[in-house]
Amino acid sequence: MYFHFLGFMFLLCASVLGNTEIRHFRPIVDGQKAHCSHKLPATILIAPFTQTDPVTIASLESTKHNRQDKEHWYCLRNLEPGLSHELRISYAATTPSRFIIDIFSSSEVQQLYNLTNEQVLLGQEDAAEQIMYARVTVSYAGASHIQGLENDDIPYIFTLEKHILGLPVQALWLIAVIVAVVALSLLVVTPKLQAVINSVLSEPAKAQKED
């Protein structure tokens, strides 16, 4: 019961303190192996799990920021074709925003930015691999009498995570911990607690017999 209460409070606090946008995808095998292009300023995220530090982005409605401030690019590496992955954005619930995650193959990025094969395929010493790109944008979704809120920077945390057996890899560790705690409770804590209860209940019966 105590653990159930703690779990409920954790979920309640998480729902109050933050919002989450999730995009599931499976890597596209387009036959083109590439490097993360230096021509596109992108943060590299490596599967099975990578989480960024908090970063800020400007909304698309902002009149005080340029395009580079309004869209963030991420290069997704070490992806496994055929397996499900997820991209997850976490941000404050007090921020009236709507995040959008667009996913591109390397060939689509090449066409979008008119990059040559040399700009996409060359530039690093390690071997080329199957990669994808993610673009993050955000729209101001609030209605306020205060003017200029759409120009405020919006902080968020971005996560790439691979799924195993339909679950995020980090969730597997949590499940393992829960199973270990439950097993410890059933095998150790519960028998000792039952022994204490039985000992307390048997005291009145012993007293009556002695009388």
Side-chain angles (χ1 to χ4, degrees):
M1 190 68 180
Y2 177 72
F3 292 108
H4 292 167
F5 174 76
L6 287 180
F8 171 77
M9 291 302 297
F10 175 79
L11 293 176
L12 179 62
C13 292
S15 63
V16 171
L17 296 179
N19 287 339
T20 302
E21 298 287 344
I22 299 177
R23 174 74 184 271
H24 295 97
F25 71 98
R26 293 179 183 273
I28 299 175
V29 182
D30 59 4
Q32 180 178 2
K33 293 185 177 182
H35 297 294
C36 296
S37 175
H38 295 301
K39 296 297 181 179
L40 180 65
T43 301
I44 296 176
L45 302 181
I46 302 176
F49 179 84
T50 300
Q51 186 175 81
T52 68
D53 294 327
V55 294
T56 59
I57 187 173
S59 70
L60 295 174
E61 295 76 17
S62 175
T63 59
K64 295 184 177 180
H65 296 83
N66 56 33
R67 178 181 176 182
Q68 187 173 350
D69 296 329
K70 295 180 180 181
E71 61 179 42
H72 289 177
W73 282 89
Y74 295 87
C75 183
L76 314 178
R77 295 184 54 186
N78 198 34
L79 304 175
E80 295 191 34
L83 292 183
S84 177
H85 299 69
E86 77 173 36
L87 292 169
R88 185 170 63 251
I89 292 179
S90 304
Y91 60 101
T94 55
T95 303
S97 308
R98 184 173 66 89
F99 278 86
I100 301 172
I101 305 173
D102 296 308
I103 300 176
F104 303 87
S105 66
S106 57
S107 58
E108 289 173 332
V109 169
Q110 182 178 0
Q111 296 175 5
L112 186 64
Y113 280 88
N114 295 320
L115 301 177
T116 64
N117 288 335
E118 289 74 16
Q119 290 173 327
V120 174
L121 298 176
L122 302 178
Q124 297 184 8
E125 295 179 357
D126 57 321
E129 59 182 321
Q130 191 73 45
I131 65 173
M132 297 189 71
Y133 287 88
R135 180 180 63 191
V136 172
T137 55
V138 60
S139 293
Y140 179 74
S144 175
H145 64 280
I146 302 176
Q147 296 183 353
L149 289 181
E150 68 277 3
N151 293 320
D152 291 345
D153 291 334
I154 302 170
Y156 71 96
I157 296 175
F158 200 46
T159 303
L160 166 65
E161 192 163 9
K162 183 177 70 174
H163 284 191
I164 298 178
L165 301 177
L167 296 172
V169 292
Q170 294 298 304
L172 297 178
W173 291 103
L174 178 60
I175 292 174
V177 171
I178 293 175
V179 170
V181 170
V182 172
L184 180 65
S185 175
L186 293 175
L187 297 176
V188 179
V189 178
T190 300
K192 290 185 177 181
L193 182 60
Q194 188 65 44
V196 172
I197 294 175
N198 293 337
S199 177
V200 172
L201 294 177
S202 64
E203 290 297 331
K206 291 182 179 179
Q208 291 178 358
K209 290 181 179 180
E210 291 177 356
D211 292 341

